[in-house]
Amino acid sequence: MDLDVLNMFVIAGGTLAIPILAFVASFLLWPSALIKIYYWYWRRALGMQVRYANYDDYRFCFSYRGRPGFRPSILMLHGFSAHKDMWLSVVKFLPKNLHLVCVDMPGHEGTTRSSLDDYSINGQVKRIHQFVECIKLNRKPFHLIGTSMGGNVAGVYAAQYPAEICSLSLVCPAGLPYPTDNKFLKRLRELKESERIDRIPLIPSTPEEMADMLKLCSYVRFKVPQQKLQKASVQKCNFFTATLADSVRSVLLGVSCSCGAALLWRFIPLRDENVNGKIFSTVSLIFHRL
């Protein structure tokens, strides 16, 4: 084989090997970096921009697309331990002429986290209302969407500020009473009675606890690589035990919720009633023809 041809193959092989090795090393050693790049690319592809809003010394992080117009804006609230980018899989199906806002809930991702803050449902409702006022989203009624813990917050928000909401969409919301307790609810009740915060199932500290959490909360079973379980469990444990342990306990153990609940599609007319942390008697998920 000609030497020049051999050198060409070596150079081509090396050029291909470098990015492959870099990807493998990142996957094994820094999976969080790959995830951040993935969400950055997805936000860019969907036209979502990240911004910050300040209320006194409190900072909210949010992403948005479009501008307020004659159609109502849409505000999306994520669940416990998630972040604003979880809505990207929904955003891609929504018309691009809508004004969309996805905010990091209090204590999550880019929004301020503090052990002095109130992370109860009513406390989060107060913070979200501050955010809405910061970005002047309540100049006219808007659509409010929430899932899991965010669904609980959204329901209570709609009950406390009905004039600001034109429709409410709840996806597997926390805070709903159920006729029978599932495995997840029974586990939370056991923890509430034991007064322990070191074994909350949604705050794993080991890869094994992380795997147990996924089994407990996921209807569809899937396998997660060990290094991802390790990274995720350590990051979650460090974050919540360092800043939010007592507040998180009040949220998780004081709420009746089922993260693995099925989606129910039904419209709920908004009612002006005192819910005291318990939202409505039924669950809904609705997207109007906007």
Side-chain angles (χ1 to χ4, degrees), residues 2-192:
D2 187 83
L3 185 58
D4 291 337
V5 176
L6 179 60
N7 288 336
M8 182 181 66
F9 276 107
V10 171
I11 294 174
T15 303
L16 293 174
I18 291 175
I20 293 175
L21 290 175
F23 176 82
V24 172
S26 299
F27 180 80
L28 295 175
L29 302 176
W30 308 287
S32 59
L34 288 180
I35 294 175
K36 289 181 179 180
I37 293 173
Y38 169 76
Y39 280 126
W40 172 83
Y41 174 80
W42 203 0
R43 285 196 305 266
R44 186 178 179 85
L46 293 174
M48 299 291 289
Q49 302 181 56
V50 176
R51 292 291 185 271
Y52 295 91
N54 295 300
Y55 185 91
D56 294 333
D57 59 346
Y58 197 89
R59 187 182 75 167
F60 296 94
C61 180
F62 67 100
S63 61
Y64 77 97
R65 186 177 73 185
R67 294 184 177 183
F70 70 94
R71 299 176 187 272
S73 301
I74 299 178
L75 175 61
M76 301 180 177
L77 308 181
H78 64 75
F80 176 75
S81 77
H83 50 80
K84 61 185 176 300
D85 292 330
M86 66 154 286
W87 292 110
L88 292 177
S89 58
V90 175
V91 168
K92 69 178 181 180
F93 293 108
L94 298 178
K96 293 186 177 181
N97 61 345
L98 296 179
H99 179 223
L100 308 176
V101 179
C102 306
V103 62
D104 284 325
M105 298 293 284
H108 290 71
E109 193 71 8
T111 294
T112 297
R113 61 184 67 164
S114 170
S115 59
L116 302 178
D117 209 5
D118 180 8
Y119 292 97
S120 67
I121 297 302
N122 287 326
Q124 293 189 68
V125 169
K126 179 181 177 181
R127 284 299 187 189
I128 294 302
H129 188 247
Q130 292 173 353
F131 168 72
V132 168
E133 290 186 324
C134 274
I135 65 172
K136 298 179 173 56
L137 193 64
N138 54 355
R139 285 181 173 177
K140 65 178 185 178
F142 58 90
H143 296 284
L144 182 59
I145 303 173
T147 182
S148 191
M149 180 190 73
N152 197 338
V153 174
V156 176
Y157 188 103
Q160 292 186 6
Y161 307 100
E164 298 184 3
I165 308 300
C166 63
S167 73
L168 174 67
S169 304
L170 306 179
V171 188
C172 304
L176 294 175
Y178 293 92
T180 58
D181 289 348
N182 57 27
K183 183 178 178 181
F184 185 79
L185 288 176
K186 291 178 180 178
R187 178 66 177 142
L188 288 185
R189 294 190 189 283
E190 290 174 359
L191 290 168
K192 184 176 182 180

Side-chain angles (χ1 to χ4, degrees), residues 189-227:
R189 294 190 189 283
E190 290 174 359
L191 290 168
K192 184 176 182 180
E193 293 173 359
S194 66
E195 296 292 330
R196 296 186 61 183
I197 65 172
D198 58 330
R199 293 299 302 276
I200 295 177
L202 296 186
I203 310 179
S205 57
T206 66
E208 291 74 22
E209 290 181 1
M210 188 71 181
D212 290 339
M213 184 200 74
L214 293 176
K215 290 179 182 178
L216 186 64
C217 301
S218 302
Y219 178 77
V220 177
R221 297 290 183 262
F222 53 91
K223 186 175 181 180
V224 179
Q226 187 70 15
Q227 68 271 15

